[in-house]
Every structure is written in C-alpha cells, then in structure tokens.
Amino acid sequence: MIKKILISACLLLSLVSFAQEGTASPYSFYGIGDVRFRGTLENRSMGEIAIEQDSIHMNLQNPASFAHLKLTTFTLGGTYATTKLKTDTESSNARRSTLDYLGIGLPLGKFGVGFGLIPYSSVGYKISSVSEDPAQNNRRFNGSGGLNKAFFGIGFKIAPNFSIGADVNYNFGKIETNNFEYITDISIGTRELNSVDLSGVNFNLGMMYQTKINKKVSFFSSLNYALESTLKAENTRNIATALYGSNFDLVIVDVLGDVKTEKNLKIPSKYNAQAGFGETRKWLVGVGYTFQEAGSLNNNYNSLDNVTYEKHSKYSIGGYYIPNYNSFSNYAKRITYRGGFRFENTGLVIHSEPIEDMALTLGVGLPLTGTFSNVNLGLEFGKRGTTAAKLVEENYANVSVSFSLNDRWFEKRKFN
C-alpha cells in the first residue's frame, strides 16, 4: 500500500506547499513568517516530546532516530486550524487547512535514512487600517508565501541503545507582501509590492541514548543541535499607483521599474535537549528545553524601529500511555493516548512586548488491525501574543491528522 500512494502523495505535497496559505497570523509579517513545523503529530501531541527510539514512527526532529527504524515508514500530516484574533477593540476569526509534512524512512541495518519535504514557515495575513478622518491616509496590508525545507538525513546505531545522526536541509521559498495606502475620497492610491525569493542550506546533528533502570523502566534522552546558517534573500520592490476594491483587489494605473537588492538573513544555532522515563510500548513521560540565540531576520520590507529579535526558548512536557498494546480482544486497549504542554518565548519583540506562545496538546494513535501502521489524531489549544501595546492576541484550536504507514521493502519474495 505504501508504494502505491508514495508518488502521488509526494506530488500533492509539493504542489500544496507552494500554494497553501498556512497561517492567518499578523505576526507572520515578521522575519520568515510563522514557523509552523513542530515535528510529527505523534510528537506534537506530547508537547513536542520525541525521545523514544521508535521502530515504526518517524521522528523528524532528530536524525539519529532513523537508525532505529525496522520497517520502511511513510508519514504524512495535515491540520485544520481555527483562530480567534482580538485587540482591545476588535475581534475576527480565521480558518486554514494545511499539509504539515511528508517523510519517508528506510532501515538499512545499523544505518537508517530519512528524506522528505516540510512546509516550514508561512506568511498569510490581510489587515486593514481605516482612519475616521477622511483626510487621513488609510492602509491595507496583505502577504502570502513562506519557506519550505527539503531534507535528507542519516542515522547510525553505534550500540543497540545509542545512535547518532545528521541531516541536511535545502531551504527555498517565496514571500510576497502588498502594502496599499489611499485617502477615502480619492479612488487612486499608492501600492508597494515586495517579492522575496529565499534559498539556503542548513545542517542538524543529533544523538539519542536510552538505558534500563530496572526490569521495566528505561531512561530516554535526545540531543539535537542545528548549526547557524544563512538564508539568501533576493528582494524585488515595485511601486505603482492603483485603484482599490473592497476585497484587496487592485487595478494598476501606473507602475515604476523594479528595484532589486540582496540580503543575507542569519538563522542562529539552536539546541534542543529532552529526557524522560518510561516502559516501552506502555507509558512515557518526558521534558524538553530548546534554546536559540537572537536572529537577524529583518529584511527590506519588514525592518521596523519598534521590532527586535531576542533569544528564543521553549519548555515542553508530555508523554503517552498504552493500556495493552498486544490485546486481541479489546481495541481500545491498543490505542495510544497522548498529552502534553509547551510554553514558548518566540524571540519576537514588538513595542517592547515579547510575543509568547503556549498550548495544551492531546492525541490518540489508532492502530490499523493486522499491520504496524496507524492513524493519529491530535488536538491543540493555545494562545499567542497579547492585547497590550495595541497588539493582537490569538486564541487557536488545531485539529490534526497524520498517517504512519509501514511496509517491508527490498526483500526478495520466496513465493510469487
């Protein structure tokens, strides 16, 4: 089954990753947009905890995990997101459906490899600022696009309980922003269109270790280090006069020539450490900490005096419980029940207000009878931002689904 859907799924995600608006957050205006990728749904449902050396689920956060795959694994995830955005005086609702990741893992003895495509960050907003004074300027802002990652990683099992790994990511994408300024009684306004082509390469290193504490309980740990990298930004700016419509549509009247510039954006190094305890295929509890230095993400179109970037940090806790993974008579006992919580300082500071993000996560893993494959469902309830300093608070609820499909490849059949 995995072989039959592999090509079509890859093509589908490749097309959608370019076309989808993966966010409706006004905070996606800054930096490289709203960073959406937080690992596979299995790990996101546990507050992003990913410490167990799993043989049938891909861990896209740590390449060392690929060495522990026993079956060829195909994973695909998507999310339906609803968000309520509010300020001190107004509120609005937004909905989005997105594909989150596609990955393929291959076991090769002591080695394992993984590759795939990840829509990493998204830009998607429509904002209108209308003055009550007809003589004052009104403004409309909208943006779209984002950054994608094509990755290839390899893991090596040094010992049965210890593995290391590394992966390389090719980053590519395009961001477009459209800023329009006009006066209410004058039908023609000024439009500024910015188009940014992003490209670059970055590397990740990982390590996983586990050991028995007693006959049942084990200690699990995971370390991951993303090296500092550079994103090349090729910027094109265009100024024009235009007629405006009520749906952010513009009719160009007169246009000036394009202005092209180049700038390098700095993506700082990132450290992630996680550890926990559990009984394999029974229960697990873990905690995690992520730290990242301040980046240099201001570009020509989003460099503002009231915006700065500080150190990023994240705290996570989560785990799972399986009543009886090999029960034949009771399906509910074979279900994996997951839960977690995370708190994150995003590193973005606007009007001296740090933008924070926190969420409660829940999920279940539903095994497909007669196979090692499973369907995963997840819920995420969170809050980002604040209404202080005339900013926007986002209250979101995400419903996600993923597939982890497993099969044996490269084995010669005894019988045809």
Side-chain angles (χ1 to χ4, degrees), residues 60-61 63 149 165-169 202-206 224-227:
L60 301 182
Q61 295 167 272
K149 286 179 176 284
D167 64 30
V168 57
N169 299 271
N202 73 288
F203 299 89
N204 297 316
L205 305 175
N224 195 59
Y225 173 60
L227 282 68

Side-chain angles (χ1 to χ4, degrees), residues 281-299:
R281 296 188 293 276
K282 183 66 176 181
W283 62 271
L284 175 75
V285 176
V287 295
Y289 174 69
T290 301
F291 173 79
Q292 186 175 28
E293 292 286 352
S296 179
L297 300 174
N298 285 330
N299 206 346

